Every structure is written in structure tokens, then in C-alpha cells.
Amino acid sequence: NAGVTQTPKFRILKIGQSMTLQCAQDMNHNYMYWYRQDPGMGLKLIYYSVGAGITDKGEVPNGYNVSRSTTEDFPLRLELAAPSQTSVYFCASSIVAGGYEQYFGPGTRLTVT
Amino acid sequence: QQQVKQSPQSLIVQKGGISIINCAYENTAFDYFPWYQQFPGKGPALLIAIRPDVSEKKEGRFTISFNKSAKQFSLHIMDSQPGDSATYFCAAGPGGYQKVTFGIGTKLQVIP
């Protein structure tokens, strides 16, 4: 199993550009998450999904959108990129939420200038 | 509102020493308390987790201590090694389908 994969690893965007961060998992997990990690701020939940077709907002959803058309894929869309979206983005998955282990991808480092 | 408070933000320990990282939570509905370890350039990975029906859980050199009445839990790393140098996140959440909330992280450096 590849686990959780994310592409790209690095990206530089200009202000106002849009992009999609890709995330895929091959563990047949129902739950998937997007986090952003900023120095001294820990991991902040952006969006999560409890299954195909079902998504919900986390702590910091503004400026982002998600979709979940299949169990395997959970892309994160950035519209009109802003410098405040410069961060490291992690995708994770778990069998269920709450009391079960989350498996994280390797992350995408995004810089908006 | 910071639901999980973690301290210290950074920690330097000599090889062979004990590393201690503390977390406190506010929500009494929380009943799952995992610790994640993150090496530079990698995603976090589950290290050890505890539920409130026990006060301590040990896995090798890593121990979680849990104080339900004080709403605090801590990670102890015994005989700390340079390979333990990483960022450690505590987290907490209720059971069921609810998600966990992460602390801000502690960057641990173990020096020879």
C-alpha cells in the first residue's frame, strides 16, 4: 500500500492564482482531512470528509474548497491565492474519526507571493 | 479558543535524559488522547495514545501520564536519544465520529 499520497510536494503561486492540491489514499478509509501547519500554530483542520459525497468545514475553511467524489480522493482547491495561505498542507485519512489513528501524507509546501 | 494547550514549544534535552511534554484540555467530553511524532519534511505519525480509563500507558521508552481530574496529560520520553529529535503534537477529541484537536507542537532536540 502507498498509504496517503499528496501532489505536488512544492508549489509557488502568485497572488490571485488558483490551484488544486491532490490527495489520495489506498487504505479504503472513510474519513479524510486537510490540515495546514504553520510555525508555532500546530495543525489546523481546514476541511474533512466522512465519506464520498460528504464534506464539512473545519477550523479554518475560508479561501478553500473541497470535493469528495470517490473514497480514494480528496482534493483541496485554493481560489484566489493570498499570502496568508503560505503554509504546509497535510492530508490525512482514518477508518473513523475520533478515537482512531490518522495516517498523514508527506505534505505540500505552498508559497504564495 | 485553544482547546488543547501544549507546553513547552521547544525543549532541549541531553542524551539519556528524560523529555517531558505537557498538555491540558478543556472539554470534559474528550476521551481520546493521542501523541503524534513528526520528523522534518515528513507528515505526523501516531506515536502512542491513551483513553481516560487508565492513568498511564507505556510503550518502550514512551509513556503517557493522564490526570482526568486536572484535565492534563503528558508524554515522557525516557533515555532520550538524538533519533528522538522531532516535533511532538498532543491531541484530544471525543469518541464517535468527532475529530481531534491538535496542540501547537513541541520541538524536541536531543543533544549528545
Side-chain angles (χ1 to χ4, degrees), chain A:
Chain A
N1 287 354
V4 179
T5 58
Q6 292 182 239
T7 56
K9 290 188 186 303
F10 305 95
R11 183 70 185 269
I12 298 174
L13 276 183
K14 293 190 184 300
I15 294 171
Q17 288 185 321
S18 300
M19 76 164 294
T20 299
L21 281 65
Q22 301 291 344
C23 174
Q25 53 91 9
D26 61 358
M27 297 173 283
N28 202 31
H29 285 173
N30 289 328
Y31 285 73
M32 296 188 74
Y33 315 81
W34 274 106
Y35 293 92
R36 59 177 289 172
Q37 183 177 23
D38 301 297
M41 300 295 290
L43 291 158
K44 298 292 186 184
L45 183 64
I46 304 171
Y47 269 96
Y48 69 103
S49 169
V50 303
I54 306 171
T55 62
D56 204 351
K57 296 177 181 179
E59 297 175 75
V60 290
N62 291 345
Y64 307 95
N65 275 301
V66 294
S67 59
R68 184 101 180 266
S69 58
T70 67
T71 299
E72 294 77 20
D73 301 297
F74 190 39
L76 178 71
R77 177 81 176 163
L78 278 72
E79 305 282 1
L80 298 175
S84 61
Q85 294 178 303
T86 294
S87 187
V88 181
Y89 291 85
F90 288 100
C91 179
S93 72
S94 64
I95 296 175
V96 294
Y100 291 86
E101 177 177 3
Q102 292 186 39
Y103 293 81
F104 284 80
T108 294
R109 182 174 293 276
L110 175 67
T111 302
V112 182
T113 61

Side-chain angles (χ1 to χ4, degrees), chain B residues 6-13 20-21 104-109:
Chain B
Q6 182 173 350
S7 63
Q9 285 197 49
S10 64
L11 182 61
I12 300 175
V13 174
I20 302 174
I21 304 170
I104 62 171
T106 297
K107 186 173 183 179
L108 171 66
Q109 184 181 359

Side-chain angles (χ1 to χ4, degrees), chain B residues 28-49:
Chain B
T28 55
F30 287 169
D31 70 351
Y32 174 65
F33 305 91
W35 286 87
Y36 282 79
Q37 181 187 52
Q38 183 183 29
F39 292 107
K42 304 291 186 183
L46 182 67
L47 181 64
I48 187 172

